[in-house]
Amino acid sequence: MKLLTNLQNKMKQGIHLKHTKISWYALTRLILFLILIVLVVTLACTSCVSNLHSKSLSKQLAGLQVDLSDTQKELEKYSKANLSEGFPYQTKYPDLYVKDVQEKKDADQKVVYLTFDDGPSKYTTQTLDLLDRYNVKATFFVVNYDSDQSTQLYKDIVQRGHSLGIHTATHEYKTIYASVDDYLEDFNTIYQHLKTVTGQEPTLFRFPGGSINSYNTTIYRQLIAEMQRRGFTYHDWNVDSGDTKKNATPQSIHDNVVSAVMQNNKSVVLLHDSDTKGNTAQALESIIVDLQAAGYEFRALDDTVKPFHFTDPE
């Protein structure tokens, strides 16, 4: 009887333990199932939010593109208006344009371009005679003189096969570089004068002091752009004769030019043709003789010559 009672008690304990194991197993499965549901819901919500956010970003980007497109159109309108209204000098001097702009090419051999600024002067005829003697062509960037002698010298330069370019009418740096308008006024004065005297329309020019100098620092980019827009070609130089220095002599001028030219394939030489530059006229013959002996050819600048320009410091 006692044995039977013990057996019943053990069976009850076994049944209790079995039910306990089953309950924990079910609970664990339930918890895992709930966690899985939470993960699925979380991922679904994240996806929905992401899609909504993506659509929102797409709309915002589309809006930005529209805004940028509109802004670009406004800028283009402003630029066109700026050209016609913001820079009134562009409408001035309607005939101050080069009618036939030529393609520019660089020298293919040893070439020297002698250029004379500030003439004509009392030395111009002497210089022209010397150039003729050696069959050399050069370029004269002249200023505005009304005398009969100067008028004849302008004609002589052209008739002897040299290039006649514009330097300045007044050579007053502070005046001509006060603004683009002031420069154009000066330029147009000598342009019209040379056109009337020689029958030719000048296309070449040289800025007094070069294209970038201490007097035009605030306007040189705008000024250069305007002159190029009108089709004119400006020439700086890569060889300075030094003939404007106080201690310049015919020998120093010769040495400066020859030594510098020997280092280049193409040289644009800065010389001066004014009443105070007798040393330049004296040095010219030895310069020509020595460079011709070294195999250099002398030419005049024209519309097809690729110009030498100073480098923008900025």
Side-chain angles (χ1 to χ4, degrees), residues 199-214:
Q200 293 188 353
E201 299 178 354
T203 60
L204 310 179
F205 74 103
R206 171 170 287 158
F207 289 105
S211 58
I212 303 174
N213 58 70
S214 59

Side-chain angles (χ1 to χ4, degrees), residues 8-24:
Q8 289 177 342
N9 288 335
K10 287 181 180 180
M11 289 179 64
K12 288 180 180 179
Q13 289 176 2
I15 292 170
H16 178 70
L17 289 172
K18 185 178 180 181
H19 282 295
T20 301
K21 289 180 181 179
I22 294 173
S23 297
W24 277 109

